[in-house]
Amino acid sequence: MKSRLRILVAGLVIAVPTGAGAQTTSNPHGALPDGLVCTSCHTTEAWSPLRTDLAFDHADTDFALDGRHADASCAGCHAGLVFEVPDAPSGDCASCHADVHEGSITRSCTSCHTAESFSDVDPAVVHAGSFPLEGAHLQTSCESCHTDDLGGAFRALDTECVTCHMRDYVSSSLVDHQGLGFSTTCVECHSTLDFRDVAFDHFVLSGGFELVGRHASIECTTCHSGPGGDLPFTATDADDCVACHMSDYDREHRGSGFPTDCVACHTPFGWDGADFDHSFPIFTGRHRGEWDTCADCHTVPGDFATFTCLSCHRQTETDAEHRGEPGYRYDSPTCLSCHPNGNSE
C-alpha cells in the first residue's frame, strides 16, 4: 500500500503520495458544478480571502443572491462549506429560515416578504387575500389584533368581526346589542369605515317600521332611549306617529280638534309643508266652535274625503228651511254644493 505524506499548505490539507503517481487534493466543498475549479474563487496566495472578481455567478445555481442574501457569508447557508447542501431553488425560504408563523400561514414566504428585509412588510398586501384591510382597519396597528404574537411572528386569526370586537358588542352604550339579541355578524349592520356608520334593515327588525325621511338621519337613541335601547312607547303600527310625537301634536294642535292621524297631513320628511287645506270654513263663520273633533263631520276613520252635515243639521229643520227650494235634497253633497262657504244664504 502506498503511504501518503499529509502537508498543511496555506490552511488546506494536501495529501501527497510518497510513491509514484500524481499529486491529489481533497476538496472540502463537495461536488462542484461543471467548469468550476479552485481558481474560480481562490488565489494561489491563500485560500482566504476569496478573489474579489469571482469567476462564479451564484445565479447559475437557480438562486440569485439578491437583497440581504448578497451580504451573507457562504458558510451562513452552506454548513461546513459543503456547497451541495442546501440544494434550495429560489423561493424555497424554509430550507434556511425557521417558520416563525408555526405553519398557520400557508402562503409562500415571498407573498409577504422580500429578500431585502423580513420586517419590511406591507400589511395591505399581506391581508389582500383572506382579510382585506379597509376603512378603519387601515389605521390599526398589527398588534391591536395580533395581541399574542411577538417579534412579528403573526399567526392567522379568525376573520369574524367578534374575534376582535366582542367587547364592543357587549359594552355598546348606544344600543344593548346583547340584551336585544342582535346578531354577532357585525357586517349585517356595520361597515369597516365606522361603527356608527350603521346600515341595517330596520323594517324587518322592527316588524314593519321603515326608516325613511327624517327618521333615517336621527340617532338610534332618539327613539331607543330606554334601558338597553328599549322604546319608551309602543306603537300599534308604522303610522302610529303620536306614540312618539304626542308632545309635538299637543304643541301645535291641542284644542284644535285635529285628528291624531299625523300621516293624513304630514310626511316623514318634515312637519312643515303639511298637505292640508280645509276649504270649508270651520274656524270662521257660523261653523266656528260648533264642532269638537274632526270625527263630528268626518265619520269614516281615516277618510277625510267623506263627510256629513246631517249629524248637526236635522232633517226636520232643513226641510222646513228649504221648503219649495228647487233641487233640494237632504244629503251632505247637496248641502255643500249650495253652501260651499258654510253660509245660510
Side-chain angles (χ1 to χ4, degrees), residues 11-141:
L12 178 65
V13 176
I14 300 177
V16 181
T18 56
Q23 174 179 300
T24 60
T25 306
S26 177
N27 177 13
H29 301 308
L32 298 177
D34 292 339
L36 191 66
V37 296
C38 298
T39 54
S40 298
C41 301
H42 301 282
T43 70
T44 58
E45 300 296 327
W47 295 117
S48 180
L50 300 179
R51 289 174 46 175
T52 57
D53 56 339
L54 295 179
F56 168 66
D57 187 351
H58 205 281
D60 293 338
T61 67
D62 195 29
F63 197 108
L65 296 182
D66 300 322
R68 294 291 296 278
H69 291 138
D71 300 327
S73 66
C74 301
C77 297
H78 301 281
L81 291 177
V82 178
F83 296 144
E84 295 173 301
V85 180
D87 183 13
S90 180
D92 184 13
C93 308
S95 295
C96 291
H97 300 283
D99 180 11
V100 297
H101 307 295
E102 298 181 353
S104 66
I105 298 177
T106 57
R107 289 177 294 171
S108 66
C109 302
T110 54
S111 66
C112 301
H113 302 280
T114 69
E116 299 294 334
S117 172
F118 271 135
S119 59
D120 185 15
V121 176
D122 185 346
V125 173
V126 172
H127 279 269
S130 59
F131 192 85
L133 294 181
E134 301 170 340
H137 290 142
L138 285 171
Q139 311 301 321
T140 305
S141 67

Side-chain angles (χ1 to χ4, degrees), residues 296-313:
D296 290 345
C297 299
H298 300 281
T299 55
V300 179
D303 182 7
F304 295 100
T306 301
F307 65 94
T308 181
C309 302
L310 311 182
S311 57
C312 294
H313 298 282

Side-chain angles (χ1 to χ4, degrees), residues 27-337:
N27 177 13
H29 301 308
L32 298 177
D34 292 339
L36 191 66
V37 296
C38 298
T39 54
S40 298
C41 301
H42 301 282
T43 70
T44 58
E45 300 296 327
W47 295 117
S48 180
L50 300 179
R51 289 174 46 175
T52 57
D53 56 339
L54 295 179
F56 168 66
D57 187 351
H58 205 281
D60 293 338
T61 67
D62 195 29
F63 197 108
L65 296 182
D66 300 322
R68 294 291 296 278
H69 291 138
D71 300 327
S73 66
C74 301
C77 297
H78 301 281
L81 291 177
V82 178
F83 296 144
E84 295 173 301
V85 180
D87 183 13
S90 180
D92 184 13
C93 308
S95 295
C96 291
H97 300 283
D99 180 11
V100 297
H101 307 295
E102 298 181 353
S104 66
I105 298 177
T106 57
R107 289 177 294 171
S108 66
C109 302
T110 54
S111 66
C112 301
H113 302 280
T114 69
E116 299 294 334
S117 172
F118 271 135
S119 59
D120 185 15
V121 176
D122 185 346
V125 173
V126 172
H127 279 269
S130 59
F131 192 85
L133 294 181
E134 301 170 340
H137 290 142
L138 285 171
Q139 311 301 321
T140 305
S141 67
C142 303
E143 292 76 15
S144 296
C145 296
H146 298 275
T147 56
D148 297 328
D149 293 321
L150 302 176
F154 300 127
R155 296 165 181 80
L157 300 177
D158 189 341
T159 58
E160 293 296 323
C161 305
V162 291
T163 302
C164 286
H165 295 291
M166 192 62 191
R167 180 178 298 177
D168 300 298
Y169 175 89
V170 173
S171 63
S172 173
S173 59
L174 288 175
V175 178
D176 184 357
H177 290 61
Q178 190 173 32
L180 295 174
F182 275 41
S183 170
T184 55
T185 306
C186 306
V187 292
E188 291 180 2
C189 302
H190 301 276
S191 74
T192 57
L193 296 176
D194 187 354
F195 270 138
R196 298 172 69 87
D197 180 22
V198 180
F200 66 103
D201 196 337
H202 194 276
F203 182 85
V204 173
L205 293 176
S206 66
F209 195 96
E210 187 175 7
L211 294 181
V212 296
R214 296 287 293 277
H215 292 137
S217 60
I218 61 176
E219 291 285 347
C220 303
T221 50
T222 302
C223 296
H224 297 273
S225 56
D230 295 336
L231 292 168
F233 48 80
T234 302
T236 56
D237 55 42
D239 292 333
D240 186 9
C241 308
V242 292
C244 183
H245 295 288
M246 193 65 203
S247 60
D248 299 301
Y249 176 89
D250 288 341
R251 184 178 63 254
E252 298 292 335
H253 303 307
R254 175 178 290 181
S256 66
F258 276 92
T260 55
D261 183 12
C262 305
V263 294
C265 302
H266 301 280
T267 73
F269 295 92
W271 295 121
D272 296 335
D275 185 16
F276 175 74
D277 180 12
H278 206 293
S279 58
F280 189 82
I282 58 174
F283 299 110
T284 61
R286 297 187 62 182
H287 288 88
R288 180 180 182 182
E290 295 297 324
W291 56 278
D292 296 317
T293 69
C294 299
D296 290 345
C297 299
H298 300 281
T299 55
V300 179
D303 182 7
F304 295 100
T306 301
F307 65 94
T308 181
C309 302
L310 311 182
S311 57
C312 294
H313 298 282
R314 303 301 178 184
Q315 186 170 6
T316 55
E317 298 174 355
T318 57
D319 284 351
E321 293 176 357
H322 294 81
R323 186 174 293 114
E325 188 71 33
Y328 165 73
R329 289 194 306 273
Y330 183 66
D331 61 55
S332 297
T334 302
C335 295
L336 181 62
S337 65

